[in-house]
Amino acid sequence: MKRICVDMDEVMADTLGEHLRRYNDEFGEAVTREELFGKGLWEVVSTDRQSSLRAYLDDEEFFANLPVFPGAREVLESLSQRFDIYIATQAMSVPSSFRAKYQWLQRHFPFLPPSRYVYCGDKGILRADYLIDDLPRNLMRFEGTGILYSAPHNMTVSGFDRVNDWREVAEYFRDKA
Amino acid sequence: MKRICVDMDEVMADTLGEHLRRYNDEFGEAVTREELFGKGLWEVVSTDRQSSLRAYLDDEEFFANLPVFPGAREVLESLSQRFDIYIATQAMSVPSSFRAKYQWLQRHFPFLPPSRYVYCGDKGILRADYLIDDLPRNLMRFEGTGILYSAPHNMTVSGFDRVNDWREVAEYFRDKA
C-alpha cells in the first residue's frame, strides 16, 4: 500500500483558530482569518506581542482541545482502508505539545495506532508517497508528492497540488492506489 | 550528505542497565547482562512480574538519567561533520518518555538540533541511508542499510552488518561519505 503522511496543525486541527482566539482575547483585538490572507499571524502582530504568540503555543493545554477540521476523521478513516496513513507533526519545535498531541490523536483518530504517529522536525526524514501539509517549506523538503492544504498564510503560494478541505482530499485520492 | 538515523535505547543510552537495576532492586534478584545473551529481559522474567517491567518504563523519570554509552557523543559529533545525523526512537510506545528523552538529547548531544529528533513507531517511515538500531524488527522495516548495534538480546541474530560499540561505528563509517 502507498503511504500518506498527514500534518496535524492547520490540516487536521484548527490551530490558527485557537491562536487567534487567545491573541484577540489578550489584546482586545479582532483579527480574523480573512486578514491573514497570504500572511502568517506572526507577520501581522507587532514585535512587542510576539512573545505572547509563542507563549500560547508553549502552554501544555494549547493543543489539547483544538477542533478537528470537518471531514478529517471520516476521510482519513476511509483512506486508511487503501493507504498506510501516518501522522507527521513538527512537534520538536514545541516540546510542551507532546502529550496533548498524543492524546488528541488517540481521542479523535482512534483507528490510527500510535505506531503511525511521527513527531519530527525536518519532514525530509519521511519516507512516504504523499505528504499533506500547509507549510510550503515542509513540502519542499519532502521527497515524495507534496500536497498543499489551504490555510490563510499559504493562499498566494503556487507550485504544489492544492486541496482546500477534506472533501477535496478524498477527491484527490479517489482514483489513486 | 548521506543520512544516518540512530536509535536511542540500547544504542546511545544504557536503557537495559537501568531496567535491570530497578528489577533487581524490587525483587532482590541479581540478573546480569550475561544471562540475557540471546534473550530479552521480558523473556526471563516470570509472568507475574511483567507488569513491573512495564511500570519502570512508564515512570517519567526512567529515561531522564540513563548513562550515555562510551564514545556515542564523540563519534556522533565527528560523524555529524560528514553525515546528516537524525535520532530516531520508538517513543510512541512509551509516551511518558517524551519529555525526558528530549531533555536527555539536549543535555548529552547539544550539537544536534531538536529538528533532528524523530519520535516514531514504525521505523519504515524513515527516509535515510543508514539506521543503527539494536532491534532486528526495526532494521527489517527500514528501507536503507540496517546496522545492528549489539545488545545482549540480539547476540544470536545474523543477517545484518553488526557493530559492537561506538568505536566500531566510527570504523564502519570511516571510508563512507
Side-chain angles (χ1 to χ4, degrees):
Chain A
M1 284 208 276
K2 288 203 172 173
R3 201 175 280 169
I4 305 173
C5 284
V6 185
D7 177 39
M8 285 180 75
D9 297 307
E10 289 304 289
V11 173
M12 299 166 74
D14 185 9
T15 314
L16 176 60
E18 177 66 9
H19 223 172
L20 279 177
R21 190 186 67 74
R22 292 193 182 209
Y23 176 76
N24 287 333
D25 272 5
E26 177 172 352
F27 295 104
E29 298 275 6
V31 179
T32 64
R33 289 175 180 279
E34 289 65 35
E35 291 170 59
L36 296 173
F37 188 92
K39 288 177 291 197
L41 182 53
W42 307 83
E43 295 171 70
V44 303
V45 163
S46 59
T47 312
D48 58 314
R49 294 177 175 182
Q50 300 270 337
S51 61
S52 286
L53 289 187
R54 176 70 208 189
Y56 307 146
L57 295 180
D58 287 337
D59 174 1
E60 290 198 12
E61 294 306 304
F62 182 91
F63 293 89
N65 296 304
L66 297 182
V68 179
F69 276 144
R73 178 184 167 136
E74 295 76 9
V75 172
L76 279 176
E77 188 158 19
S78 169
L79 286 175
S80 68
Q81 310 297 313
R82 297 189 292 123
F83 295 89
D84 284 331
I85 307 293
Y86 287 76
I87 308 304
T89 176
Q90 253 186 317
M92 291 306 163
S93 56
V94 190
S96 56
S97 71
F98 291 161
R99 181 177 299 261
K101 286 192 164 193
Y102 186 93
Q103 291 169 342
W104 189 90
L105 287 169
Q106 288 201 302
R107 177 159 25 124
H108 297 294
F109 297 84
F111 53 90
L112 292 172
S115 60
R116 297 298 185 83
Y117 307 167
V118 184
Y119 290 177
C120 61
D122 176 352
K123 292 196 179 178
I125 197 63
L126 300 170
R127 186 183 294 275
D129 301 287
Y130 301 96
L131 170 63
I132 307 173
D133 206 299
D134 67 305
L135 283 171
R137 68 168 180 269
N138 287 340
L139 298 177
M140 301 279 282
R141 287 179 184 143
F142 178 66
E143 293 183 30
T145 300
I147 302 165
L148 188 65
Y149 192 96
S150 287
H153 68 82
N154 70 30
M155 293 311 288
T156 57
V157 172
S158 59
F160 299 102
D161 290 346
R162 178 186 286 275
V163 290
N164 287 302
D165 53 33
W166 279 91
R167 191 191 53 74
E168 291 191 14
V169 174
E171 181 65 25
Y172 184 93
F173 286 104
R174 186 187 307 276
D175 300 320
K176 295 187 170 63
Chain B
M1 282 208 278
K2 288 204 172 173
R3 200 175 280 170
I4 304 173
C5 283
V6 185
D7 178 40
M8 286 179 75
D9 297 306
E10 290 303 289
V11 173
M12 299 167 74
D14 184 9
T15 314
L16 176 61
E18 177 67 8
H19 222 173
L20 278 177
R21 191 187 66 73
R22 293 193 182 209
Y23 177 76
N24 287 334
D25 273 4
E26 178 172 353
F27 295 104
E29 298 274 6
V31 179
T32 64
R33 289 176 180 279
E34 289 64 35
E35 291 170 59
L36 296 173
F37 188 91
K39 289 177 291 198
L41 182 54
W42 307 83
E43 295 172 70
V44 302
V45 163
S46 60
T47 312
D48 57 314
R49 294 176 175 181
Q50 300 269 338
S51 60
S52 286
L53 289 187
R54 176 69 208 191
Y56 306 147
L57 295 179
D58 287 337
D59 173 2
E60 290 197 11
E61 294 306 304
F62 182 91
F63 293 89
N65 295 305
L66 297 183
V68 179
F69 276 144
R73 178 184 167 137
E74 296 75 10
V75 172
L76 280 176
E77 187 157 20
S78 169
L79 286 175
S80 69
Q81 309 297 313
R82 297 188 293 122
F83 294 89
D84 283 331
I85 307 293
Y86 287 75
I87 308 304
T89 177
Q90 255 186 315
M92 291 305 163
S93 56
V94 190
S96 56
S97 72
F98 291 160
R99 180 177 301 261
K101 285 190 164 194
Y102 186 93
Q103 291 170 343
W104 189 91
L105 287 169
Q106 288 200 302
R107 176 158 27 120
H108 296 293
F109 297 84
F111 53 90
L112 293 172
S115 60
R116 297 298 184 85
Y117 307 167
V118 184
Y119 289 178
C120 62
D122 176 352
K123 291 195 180 177
I125 196 63
L126 301 170
R127 186 182 294 274
D129 301 287
Y130 300 96
L131 169 63
I132 307 173
D133 206 299
D134 67 306
L135 284 171
R137 67 165 181 271
N138 288 339
L139 298 178
M140 300 279 283
R141 288 181 183 140
F142 178 67
E143 293 184 30
T145 300
I147 302 164
L148 188 65
Y149 192 96
S150 288
H153 69 82
N154 69 31
M155 293 310 289
T156 56
V157 172
S158 60
F160 300 102
D161 290 345
R162 178 186 285 274
V163 289
N164 287 303
D165 53 33
W166 278 92
R167 190 191 55 74
E168 291 191 14
V169 173
E171 181 65 26
Y172 184 94
F173 287 104
R174 185 186 308 276
D175 299 320
K176 295 186 170 62

